[in-house]
Amino acid sequence: MCFMLIGGRAAFEDGVMLGGHNDDLNGYEAASLELYPHIHHQPGDSIQLPTGPVIPQPAETARCLLLKTFRGNLAGDTIAINEHNVCLMGGENLLMDRNDRAAQADPIVENGVAGGVRFVALTQSRTARECVERIGRYYSRYGNRFPCAVGVFDTKEAWYLESGGGSTWVAARVPDDCYLVQSNGYRINEIDWDDSENMLYSEGLREFVIEKGLWKPEEGPFHWAKTFGRKFLKRPDTYYYNSRRIWSAVRRLSPSLEVSPDQEEFPTFLRPDRPITTEQIMELLRDYNQGHAFCAFPESGGVGEVRPIGVPHCIHSAVAELHRDTPVEVGGVLWSCVGSPLTAPYLPHHYGITEIAPPFLQGEDTYQSSSAFWRLRKLTNLAMLHTEQYLPMLAEAWSKLEQKAQDMRGIVEQEAARCLEQDPKRAGELLTALASTLDYEALEMAEMLEAQLHRDIAGKLYQYFAKGDLEW
């Protein structure tokens, strides 16, 4: 159960494409970084997915910088930038929102492809559209065992794809001046069957939904989300489970729309009031409805009833940047958070780095003292004891480090870009040194913050048996 933002080229500051993603799984499903190599394949080479399908490989597959779970890069939760400046923004679980009629009409294929096919497609693609086309083609060819959504973008455009079940899928190009936010519910609304420039879908989809009785043309335009989704709206306890996350994002990015928290359906694409920045997306991914009646962690203590965007069980978060007219080595940046953004920092890792600090390569589903994920996860566990006090404290600490990272990157990027053509090895060394310096500084800060929290928590233990005005 995740959250994602992507957008068109005019939705962001000039010259950059951005995306953001929170991966909300079980809190112990550790995250780590990886450098996946460029591979020259032999004729007949293929890759087998964990679910069984065997996919032929092209002559070459792209190098990638990626953020993944402990299950590996084929688990379906991978966020990655490839050597062609194409970014894959994780995945979104749609299974729980798929309605019963759709599930009966288009059942899942148990031995079909799953989330890992998205990363395979990324390694084989040079553009966002090509990547989405490949994912859809693999859904159609091998069948799909898990309905989900995914966003893909390059330096020119962004595409968003949703699967309806075992065979059906739809993909839409995000308009240049708009953004899309996704929170585990079907988001593609009406489909224009004739707009091949901005809409892709599984072969025979129109005939399929008519034949299965899912849509009657005489009743009006085909509405994909209503046809395949909206199951969350069938239960009172999940009625706003997704929509209030969407509302929270829209009230931040498009406040002029004055959307209601009781709104159940939103336009697929929305225009921001002003160009969206990296910092805004970080704030959004950390949002828990602070300052609102729906605050997830109120000052009075306890936990609210509305699911926020930022949750403690998030296991990795990222903001990806792709800069136009800049080589991917310098212009592709994965702001990686190995843990929940509520309690962990975003750290810049440029595509051009040549190695990753060892603690950020480690991550299993059992505690490891050497793993960056687990060292930062300890802060999450402690912060949940007094969220009203500790979450703001940690956010303030990490914002200072993130600002320092922003200040440092400009200098390093300028020098790395200058070196790239004549001395690419030196450029890689500069970018790697920047990432490593900030990675280790974050771990040192985490240790100090952990000590501070332990002391403060210990100082509150007397309160369990305090009486009146007695003092210790």
Side-chain angles (χ1 to χ4, degrees):
M1 307 297 278
C2 307
F3 181 88
M4 178 179 66
L5 177 146
I6 56 174
R9 57 189 295 151
F12 309 111
E13 292 186 317
D14 189 43
V16 65
M17 289 285 278
L18 300 174
H21 189 275
N22 279 351
D23 194 17
D24 306 335
L25 300 177
N26 293 305
Y28 55 78
E29 299 187 58
S32 60
L33 289 158
E34 179 184 341
L35 286 171
Y36 183 88
H38 181 106
I39 301 175
H40 294 267
H41 295 280
Q42 298 299 315
D45 278 0
S46 61
I47 182 169
Q48 183 169 17
L49 299 179
T51 50
V54 177
I55 297 177
Q57 290 283 34
E60 298 180 41
T61 49
R63 179 184 188 266
C64 299
L65 167 65
L66 58 108
L67 180 61
K68 60 184 176 64
T69 75
F70 78 99
R71 290 188 175 88
N73 55 44
L74 293 181
D77 302 283
T78 297
I79 299 169
I81 298 172
N82 78 8
E83 66 187 66
H84 306 297
N85 249 330
V86 183
C87 180
L88 177 74
M89 289 309 297
E92 298 284 325
N93 182 341
L94 296 179
L95 181 64
M96 303 303 293
D97 192 44
R98 189 173 65 139
N99 65 57
D100 294 340
R101 286 184 67 208
Q104 185 175 4
D106 188 20
I108 61 173
V109 178
E110 288 295 341
N111 61 344
V113 300
V117 76
R118 301 190 291 263
F119 180 69
V120 172
L122 179 73
T123 66
Q124 299 174 344
S125 300
R126 291 176 174 269
T127 67
R129 179 172 179 134
E130 180 188 357
C131 186
V132 165
E133 289 175 332
R134 284 184 180 276
I135 294 170
R137 188 159 63 246
Y138 293 146
Y139 285 163
S140 298
R141 181 179 303 171
Y142 301 102
N144 184 13
R145 75 184 305 269
F146 198 91
C148 56
V150 65
V152 186
F153 63 95
D154 54 32
T155 58
K156 296 179 180 179
E157 61 182 4
W159 282 82
Y160 171 71
L161 181 148
E162 292 182 345
S163 56
S167 64
T168 57
W169 57 272
V170 168
R173 181 183 181 275
V174 183
D176 286 343
D177 60 347
C178 292
Y179 65 93
L180 173 143
V181 281
Q182 158 60 253
S183 182
N184 305 120
Y186 282 86
R187 292 281 289 117
I188 296 178
N189 296 330
E190 292 184 3
I191 288 180
D192 183 345
W193 298 108
D194 300 319
D195 186 5
S196 59
E197 290 297 312
N198 298 294
M199 188 74 64
L200 303 168
Y201 46 83
S202 49
E203 185 176 355
L205 176 62
R206 191 176 192 277
E207 294 74 18
F208 178 89
V209 293
I210 293 174
E211 178 187 337
K212 296 293 184 179
L214 298 176
W215 175 57
K216 296 179 179 179
E218 63 270 19
E219 294 181 352
F222 176 59
H223 195 292
W224 167 263
K226 288 181 179 177
T227 302
F228 281 85
R230 300 293 193 265
K231 188 171 184 177
F232 276 108
L233 301 181
K234 302 295 183 182
R235 290 172 43 184
D237 59 332
T238 61
Y239 194 86
Y240 295 114
Y241 195 68
N242 296 322
S243 62
R244 282 187 174 156
R245 272 183 153 189
I246 304 296
W247 159 79
S248 189
V250 176
R251 76 186 182 108
R252 280 179 170 269
L253 301 176
S254 306
S256 64
L257 295 179
E258 299 182 345
V259 293
S260 166
D262 295 333
Q263 190 167 326
E264 66 184 39
E265 182 179 327
F266 292 84
T268 306
F269 307 114
L270 300 117
R271 291 183 178 86
D273 281 11
R274 64 182 189 276
I276 301 169
T277 66
T278 295
E279 291 79 6
Q280 273 185 291
I281 299 178
M282 290 178 183
E283 290 176 3
L284 178 64
L285 297 176
R286 285 179 166 135
D287 182 79
Y288 56 92
N289 297 322
Q290 303 95 308
H292 193 276
F294 293 148
C295 182
F297 308 109
E299 292 183 5
S300 58
V303 179
E305 296 183 359
V306 175
R307 180 173 74 133
I309 294 171
V311 292
H313 56 279
C314 177
I315 54 93
H316 67 59
S317 180
V319 179
E321 299 178 2
L322 299 181
H323 291 260
R324 282 187 288 280
D325 304 320
T326 304
V328 65
E329 289 82 0
V330 178
V333 187
L334 195 61
W335 287 86
S336 314
C337 174
V338 288
S340 169
L342 296 180
T343 54
Y346 289 99
L347 300 167
H349 297 90
H350 289 75
Y351 175 84
I353 62 175
T354 57
E355 58 184 61
I356 294 167
F360 289 81
L361 292 169
Q362 302 172 19
E364 298 295 334
D365 62 340
T366 54
Y367 177 79
Q368 294 173 290
S369 60
S370 57
S371 162
F373 171 87
W374 282 108
R375 289 164 73 172
L376 290 163
R377 179 58 74 196
K378 287 191 288 184
L379 291 181
T380 313
N381 297 343
L382 293 171
M384 291 307 294
L385 293 173
H386 300 285
T387 54
E388 70 284 358
Q389 178 183 349
Y390 297 151
L391 291 186
M393 182 194 83
L394 293 172
E396 181 181 2
W398 293 131
S399 68
K400 292 178 181 177
L401 180 62
E402 289 159 1
Q403 184 56 57
K404 179 179 179 179
Q406 287 282 21
D407 295 340
M408 292 174 64
R409 67 176 284 197
I411 300 170
V412 174
E413 286 173 355
Q414 185 175 8
E415 181 63 16
R418 189 186 67 80
C419 294
L420 198 56
E421 188 171 339
Q422 299 297 325
D423 190 355
K425 181 180 178 182
R426 175 59 179 161
E429 291 172 348
L430 289 168
L431 296 170
T432 302
L434 172 67
S436 182
T437 297
L438 291 166
D439 287 348
Y440 280 112
E441 183 170 348
L443 294 180
E444 291 174 3
M445 285 183 62
E447 187 174 350
M448 291 187 290
L449 290 166
E450 181 190 351
Q452 185 177 341
L453 292 182
H454 274 301
R455 186 182 187 281
D456 193 74
I457 292 168
K460 290 182 170 68
L461 293 177
Y462 79 90
Q463 294 175 353
Y464 286 104
F465 298 102
K467 300 293 182 181
D469 59 355
L470 291 177
E471 295 183 1
W472 268 256

